[in-house]
Amino acid sequence: DKVLPELIEPYELRAAKLREFLEDVKPSLHYDIVPLADPYGPSVTDINLQCLVVSEETRRGGEAVNKKRLENGLPELALYEILLMKDPDHSQNEEEKISSSSLRQRLLGTLLQPPRRDPALPPRPYVIGLTGGTGSGKTSIAKLLGHLGAFLIDADKLGHAVYVPGGPAYKQVVATFGAEILNEDGTINRKVLGAKVFGNQEQLKSLTDIVWPEMAQMVKEQIRDADAQGKAVCVLDAAVLLE
């Protein structure tokens, strides 16, 4: 349940940093660093271990280790408790102690690596997908990026445009779902269409198979427009972007 597990460094890098730290503290000691595949690691099986360093928050884990050792016929370990250093600069949302979780939160919004070049994609514009559920803040973020000069593509607006009479999906949607989905003026009644498809996976797939490819094509056209305008960045705001 670590905060932002996606930003945790690879094991090899963490182990190398740990070894460098330990050898700075006391290079004369021998350090055996092992990966933990479970909460206990070698602490409940290694007969040579004598002491376990814990903090106030991990003491219960140390006691659980000793319980397991006794079950395995091994002597208990001495639990040596250390005080955790406080982080004087921690924010309200961060842990009071010096913590890698806090450091990962501070990395948010930081470009950790330069974008990888994909020879199959044009170098400009750089397209950013912006997705999330209702109320997640997509629109606010899109507006902020727009103020910074990004070209905004609103998939919701394209979703409406694709249904209008003369729109790319209009005829096929009417042919598939019938004239009863039409208003008197010939426009598609989205509420009636929605009642037909939502809760019916087969009908919903029939609709998305018609609409999504057309929307994707409209997105590509918008990206070309952005390129023609000399925009360096495009932001595609789409609630079901991944789907």
Side-chain angles (χ1 to χ4, degrees):
D1 59 349
K2 281 288 185 181
V3 177
L4 302 172
E6 298 83 1
L7 294 180
I8 294 177
E9 292 174 334
Y11 166 76
E12 291 78 11
L13 180 57
R14 288 163 69 89
K17 286 185 175 182
L18 177 59
R19 183 175 297 280
E20 182 182 15
F21 167 73
L22 293 171
E23 290 177 347
D24 277 347
V25 173
K26 195 157 188 177
S28 62
L29 290 181
H30 169 74
Y31 300 104
D32 187 14
I33 300 173
V34 296
L36 300 182
D38 61 71
Y40 298 104
S43 66
V44 295
T45 56
D46 191 337
I47 196 169
N48 295 311
L49 292 180
Q50 296 175 295
C51 173
L52 189 64
V53 179
V54 297
S55 66
E56 181 183 355
E57 64 180 26
T58 62
R59 172 169 276 279
R60 287 177 63 187
E63 291 167 353
V65 164
N66 274 336
K67 184 179 177 182
K68 280 278 188 183
R69 284 180 70 87
L70 291 174
E71 291 174 4
N72 292 339
L74 297 174
E76 289 187 322
L77 299 177
L79 299 182
Y80 181 80
E81 186 174 320
I82 59 170
L83 294 175
L84 294 174
M85 292 186 68
K86 305 296 184 184
D87 184 351
D89 300 317
H90 75 279
S91 71
Q92 186 178 356
N93 297 323
E94 295 174 349
E95 296 186 68
E96 187 180 1
K97 65 177 183 182
I98 292 178
S99 165
S100 60
S101 293
S102 299
L103 296 179
R104 287 196 295 280
Q105 287 198 53
R106 294 168 196 171
L107 283 173
L108 284 175
T110 303
L111 192 64
L112 300 179
Q113 296 177 350
R116 293 189 303 276
R117 289 190 177 278
D118 185 341
L121 296 175
R124 291 172 68 125
Y126 188 73
V127 182
I128 297 171
L130 179 62
T131 191
T134 303
S136 61
K138 290 192 309 300
T139 302
S140 299
I141 296 295
K143 285 179 180 177
L144 287 170
L145 293 171
H147 289 318
L148 293 172
F151 184 94
L152 301 183
I153 302 173
D154 187 336
D156 195 43
K157 289 180 180 178
L158 297 183
H160 283 80
V162 82
Y163 287 104
V164 299
Y170 177 83
K171 285 184 178 179
Q172 197 174 350
V173 169
V174 174
T176 302
F177 294 97
E180 63 266 25
I181 67 169
L182 296 178
N183 294 311
E184 289 184 4
D185 61 0
T187 57
I188 292 175
N189 187 318
R190 290 168 66 93
K191 286 186 177 179
V192 174
L193 177 60
K196 275 179 170 282
V197 301
F198 292 114
N200 185 323
Q201 289 299 317
E202 191 176 326
Q203 290 278 68
L204 181 59
K205 187 176 186 307
S206 296
L207 180 62
T208 56
D209 284 350
I210 297 169
V211 172
W212 283 357
E214 298 294 350
M215 287 182 64
Q217 190 58 41
M218 293 171 80
V219 167
K220 290 176 183 176
E221 291 170 4
Q222 293 252 304
I223 292 172
R224 284 194 288 271
D225 288 346
D227 187 29
Q229 295 178 30
K231 293 286 188 176
V233 174
C234 262
V235 174
L236 172 57
D237 174 356
V240 287
L241 176 63
L242 300 179
E243 291 85 346

